[in-house]
Short mmCIF file of all heavy atoms in Angstrom, two decimals:
data_model
loop_
_atom_site.label_atom_id
_atom_site.label_comp_id
_atom_site.label_asym_id
_atom_site.label_seq_id
_atom_site.Cartn_x
_atom_site.Cartn_y
_atom_site.Cartn_z
N MET J 1 -4.52 34.25 65.53
CA MET J 1 -4.42 33.85 64.12
C MET J 1 -3.48 32.64 63.99
O MET J 1 -2.48 32.56 64.69
CB MET J 1 -3.90 35.00 63.26
CG MET J 1 -4.91 36.13 63.09
SD MET J 1 -4.30 37.49 62.05
CE MET J 1 -3.28 38.36 63.21
N PRO J 49 10.73 32.13 69.48
CA PRO J 49 9.83 31.05 69.88
C PRO J 49 8.43 31.10 69.28
O PRO J 49 7.71 30.11 69.35
CB PRO J 49 9.79 31.18 71.41
CG PRO J 49 10.19 32.54 71.71
CD PRO J 49 11.14 32.94 70.64
N ASN J 76 17.04 32.59 37.31
CA ASN J 76 16.88 32.20 38.70
C ASN J 76 16.23 30.82 38.79
O ASN J 76 15.81 30.22 37.79
CB ASN J 76 16.08 33.24 39.48
CG ASN J 76 14.69 33.45 38.93
OD1 ASN J 76 13.86 32.55 38.96
ND2 ASN J 76 14.42 34.64 38.43
N LEU J 105 25.58 53.11 55.47
CA LEU J 105 26.21 52.66 56.70
C LEU J 105 25.11 52.36 57.72
O LEU J 105 24.71 53.23 58.49
CB LEU J 105 27.16 53.72 57.23
CG LEU J 105 27.87 53.37 58.55
CD1 LEU J 105 28.81 52.17 58.35
CD2 LEU J 105 28.65 54.60 59.06
N VAL J 123 37.11 45.70 53.14
CA VAL J 123 36.73 46.94 52.44
C VAL J 123 36.81 48.10 53.45
O VAL J 123 36.31 47.99 54.56
CB VAL J 123 35.29 46.84 51.90
CG1 VAL J 123 34.90 48.17 51.21
CG2 VAL J 123 35.15 45.69 50.93
N GLY J 128 34.54 59.80 59.22
CA GLY J 128 33.62 60.94 59.25
C GLY J 128 32.21 60.62 58.86
O GLY J 128 31.41 61.55 58.64
N THR J 143 29.51 37.12 53.44
CA THR J 143 29.55 36.35 54.66
C THR J 143 29.59 34.84 54.27
O THR J 143 29.15 34.45 53.22
CB THR J 143 28.32 36.55 55.56
OG1 THR J 143 27.14 36.06 54.90
CG2 THR J 143 28.13 38.03 55.86
N ALA J 146 26.06 30.04 57.25
CA ALA J 146 26.07 29.31 58.50
C ALA J 146 25.46 27.93 58.35
O ALA J 146 24.48 27.74 57.64
CB ALA J 146 25.28 30.10 59.55
N ASN J 150 25.24 27.74 63.42
CA ASN J 150 26.33 28.66 63.66
C ASN J 150 26.03 30.04 63.07
O ASN J 150 25.15 30.18 62.24
CB ASN J 150 27.62 28.12 63.03
CG ASN J 150 28.07 26.84 63.72
OD1 ASN J 150 27.97 26.70 64.91
ND2 ASN J 150 28.54 25.88 62.92
N LEU J 194 10.99 54.34 48.11
CA LEU J 194 11.87 53.73 49.09
C LEU J 194 13.31 53.78 48.65
O LEU J 194 13.61 54.00 47.48
CB LEU J 194 11.48 52.26 49.32
CG LEU J 194 10.08 51.97 49.82
CD1 LEU J 194 9.78 50.48 49.80
CD2 LEU J 194 9.88 52.51 51.25
N GLY J 209 26.14 23.74 35.02
CA GLY J 209 27.25 24.55 35.49
C GLY J 209 27.03 26.05 35.31
O GLY J 209 27.95 26.84 35.48
N ILE J 274 3.15 40.14 68.82
CA ILE J 274 3.13 39.30 67.63
C ILE J 274 2.26 39.89 66.54
O ILE J 274 2.64 39.98 65.36
CB ILE J 274 2.63 37.88 68.00
CG1 ILE J 274 3.64 37.15 68.88
CG2 ILE J 274 2.31 37.08 66.73
CD1 ILE J 274 4.93 36.83 68.20
N GLN J 300 -6.62 26.01 57.80
CA GLN J 300 -5.94 24.73 57.70
C GLN J 300 -4.74 24.88 56.76
O GLN J 300 -4.74 24.41 55.62
CB GLN J 300 -6.88 23.63 57.16
CG GLN J 300 -8.03 23.32 58.12
CD GLN J 300 -8.97 22.22 57.55
OE1 GLN J 300 -9.57 22.41 56.50
NE2 GLN J 300 -9.04 21.11 58.25
N ARG J 306 -0.35 21.23 51.32
CA ARG J 306 -0.22 19.85 50.80
C ARG J 306 -1.03 19.68 49.53
O ARG J 306 -0.52 19.16 48.51
CB ARG J 306 -0.68 18.84 51.85
CG ARG J 306 -0.51 17.37 51.39
CD ARG J 306 -1.06 16.37 52.39
NE ARG J 306 -0.34 16.41 53.65
CZ ARG J 306 -0.80 16.92 54.77
NH1 ARG J 306 -2.01 17.48 54.79
NH2 ARG J 306 -0.07 16.88 55.87
#
Side-chain angles (χ1 to χ4, degrees):
M1 288 182 281
N76 61 64
L105 180 64
V123 179
T143 67
N150 295 321
L194 299 172
I274 291 295
Q300 294 180 299
R306 183 184 295 108

